[in-house]
Amino acid sequence: MYLLVILIPLLSAVGSGLGGRYLGRRGAGLLASVWVIVSCLLSFVLCYEILINGPTVYIDLGRWIESDLLITNFGLQFDTVTAVMLIVVTTISGLVHIYSTSYMREDPHLYMREDPHLPRFMSYLSLFTFFMLVLVTSNNYVQLFIGWEGVGLCSYLLINFWFTRIQANKAAIKAMLINRIGDIGLMLAIILIWIKFGVLDYCSLFSTLYPSSACTWICILLTIGAIGKSAQLGLHTWLPDAMEGPTPVSALIHAATMVTAGVFLIIRSAPLFDHSPTATIIVGLVGSLTAFFAATVGLVQSDIKKVIAYSTCSQLGYMVMACGTYSCISSLYHLLTHAFFKALLFLGAGSIIHALLDEQDLRKMGGIIRGLPLTYILMLIGSLSLAGFPYLSGFYSKDLILELTYNSYCLISIYWLASITAFLTAFYSFRLIYLSFVSKPNLTRISAQHLQEADWNLLGPLLVLGVGSILVGYIAQNMVFAPGVRPLPLVPTIVSLAPVIMSVTGILLVFILRPYIIYYITRPSIYGFLFYAWEFNQIANYYIGSTVWKFGHTISYRTIDRGILEILGPTGIARFLVDRTKELSSLQSGLLFNYALIILVGAAIALKCLIVN
Amino acid sequence: MSYLILSIVILLIGILGIILNRSNLIIMLMCVELVLLASTILLLFESRVFYTLLGQIFAIMILTVAAAESAIGLAIMVNYYRLRGTIAVRALNLLRG
């Protein structure tokens, strides 16, 4: 059963990928959805065993790399962290599979045309799920790296799903490349672990740890890996661009699962981080800065998916920040609740986009509460949960993280950044609700006429996620934190109340600031600065991208490749030989007296040689 | 001794004549004759000094060869003149490398 959870998505990917043309659109959708749901149910059973009954299961699948210096097995490890990740991955993935069968077709009211590539889409989704499961269940770093690269690959394939669009291609390449930067960090960390400790599987590694400077370096490199994958400050630019993919992809990959891989890496390596206070502080700072940065940018975005993308970035910052307070388990908790409400928000946004005939601009929405009441309620639940409204799932985890940061013994600035972020989060999530559902209608006539809820394949997953967003936080409180293990932060009353105050203020502020929410985007202004995401892309393109590009063209290509190497190599040698032989042959000038001279000189030299010898 | 110097001077004049001559093919032929003459004188001198007949035999043979050579050379030159209308050495540059 433990193996089945992982293998079923793979079978589903192979089945709908290779047999898609025989199964047809409907068949592939059905096959993939049912299989992933089966995997999801299995993972629930499995979580019951692991979380409630409390064993850790190790499965050895056989030898992989065998040499004297390094022995790596294929192996699975199911513990609390894995169990929580399993729930997240399989549940969200199963729901997204169902959702996609309805979403991935063009508007049914205007012209009945279905996406002909649905089997391919389903195959990629299942493959993604498989790689994510490999990532979370592996018992060593090398096998984790398979999953790590696999989800990167699937992210490329899925962002690029509509491959005829140039923007989608560019976004996919960007996602792949920026992820690679982080992957190099992870790879170096793995190599360093191997050099220092000689083992790569978690059990042996974590039992042989000792504090050393190598630990710090390993942790910093692991953090770089997490920064790339989890879209932390510096390498975050791929995440908003990845919204070029279809909405279910954004929900699955860029909200609930793939981006959490970076956080998962830190949580998994928690014992390593325990030995390195420096790296832990760095993690905390990076996380809090990311949370703050993304929240400010989220305030002013006009694309509905980008708002949610930046909120994902911000919440990932929260998770990473929680790891920076020596409380990885609370990070895991937030990861779990976040997966539910963020998937809900993304799929809800997909429902809106679907109903508005692929309109993503918040400024061209408004007033669709009349046409989409159910979506409105679900989006409201998602947004309240994201804003940390009391008794919804986001509240439990976010409140815990805020109290932990207040209590942490390192930097109090992390707490302030996190609190401001909580306020901003509430503001932008209700700005989204207000602009899309409540404000004055700003739709085109044709989309206003066709405004209606989609079918149940699309709404069903939303309902499940809505229930999840309400309940998961409460239910998981005692499941994730086994009784007695949970850290109890001791904080003043005002600090424990602060998150609630912040979020309620943020929500209310939206309705006070109503007329000023949309503003004209001009470059030299604070609004423009925030809209263009603190100009990170411009800076990266101008200072890094174009410099590297120019270096590559002038130095590597023109100077070295076509210059030095070419002159020392083929062209230079050939030209040299040809020139010399031309000079030699021009000695034979056709003039008799020259011949006579040469004969004489030759005879003299020969004579000289003879005499000398 | 003076014979030796004389013959070597004549030899050098002949060789320099071949090398430095840029105008006329006849001069070149004459220079070749000079070179042969110088070598003949050298051989005769050598036969006188060493009291051998071999040098004189060779001298007679060289005279014969020189006669034959100048006859053939002149014949080639005449033919060449008929063909090209000139015997300037400068014009003999049809074959170049």
Side-chain angles (χ1 to χ4, degrees), chain A residues 232-243:
Chain A
Q232 299 297 299
L233 198 64
L235 299 179
H236 67 277
T237 49
W238 67 272
L239 185 60
D241 284 6
M243 296 301 124

Side-chain angles (χ1 to χ4, degrees), chain A residues 585-586 588-597 600, chain B residues 15 18-19 21-22 28 89-90 92-93 95-97:
Chain A
S585 74
S586 73
Q588 193 185 352
S589 59
L591 296 170
L592 273 182
F593 38 86
N594 283 0
Y595 294 166
L597 181 64
L600 195 68
Chain B
I15 288 169
I18 294 172
I19 292 168
N21 165 38
R22 316 219 146 181
M28 197 170 271
V89 180
R90 240 177 255 291
L92 291 176
N93 59 357
L95 295 173
R96 61 170 75 220

